[in-house]
Amino acid sequence: MNLESYLRNRWIRSHKTSPREIADLFALADRDIEQSQVPGLGTDWRFDIAYNSALQSATAALAAAGFRSERANKHMRVIECLEFTVGLDKTTVRVFDRFRRKRHAAVYDRVGAVSELEAMEMLELAEQLRHRVESWIQAEHPELLGS
């Protein structure tokens, strides 16, 4: 699989991004990294906020590559595309996707679905992905980072 096969399957579509969109996505990612560490926040919410940060970074990578995910299975597709955009290894993509399913359970199914360790791991992934995506955009699409 690659981005072109995702496009043919209509899982993603072509998208023209802008430095403003990328800056906004990074601002959301940064905000969520910070907010996921607010003292007194429950483990499920810390995890969910850190997950959202990572998802915004992944969305920035896909946008920089010239695509946007279709609505059906949006989170899953954005995560899978990290392999084709920033070259994220398959193991880390699988971990992120496992966290996607965990987040769904924590938000929609039951309280206490997330352990303290998982919340910390999600935050670590969000921080790493934020830096990796920015470095990748700097190397591959520097015009999108503005001045």
Side-chain angles (χ1 to χ4, degrees), residues 22-50:
I22 299 300
D24 287 346
L25 289 165
F26 281 152
L28 290 169
D30 293 342
R31 176 207 62 194
D32 289 348
I33 285 171
E34 182 181 320
Q35 292 295 308
S36 71
Q37 298 174 73
V38 168
L41 203 58
T43 304
D44 288 349
W45 285 119
R46 287 190 1 253
F47 181 92
D48 184 51
I49 296 167

Side-chain angles (χ1 to χ4, degrees), residues 5-95:
S5 60
Y6 272 57
L7 187 62
R8 279 193 306 279
N9 286 324
R10 298 186 179 156
W11 296 337
I12 60 174
R13 61 184 151 97
S14 294
H15 172 69
K16 175 111 172 97
T17 193
S18 66
R20 182 73 203 169
E21 180 183 22
I22 299 300
D24 287 346
L25 289 165
F26 281 152
L28 290 169
D30 293 342
R31 176 207 62 194
D32 289 348
I33 285 171
E34 182 181 320
Q35 292 295 308
S36 71
Q37 298 174 73
V38 168
L41 203 58
T43 304
D44 288 349
W45 285 119
R46 287 190 1 253
F47 181 92
D48 184 51
I49 296 167
Y51 169 87
N52 193 63
S53 173
L55 188 66
Q56 299 310 316
S57 294
T59 300
L62 191 58
F67 300 99
R68 174 172 281 172
S69 178
E70 291 294 353
R71 293 183 77 63
N73 301 308
K74 181 179 182 174
H75 290 205
M76 181 176 73
R77 300 300 181 204
V78 169
I79 292 166
E80 289 172 346
C81 286
L82 285 166
E83 181 182 348
F84 315 124
T85 55
V86 300
L88 198 63
D89 63 277
K90 290 180 187 210
T91 300
T92 306
V93 170
R94 280 193 297 271
V95 167

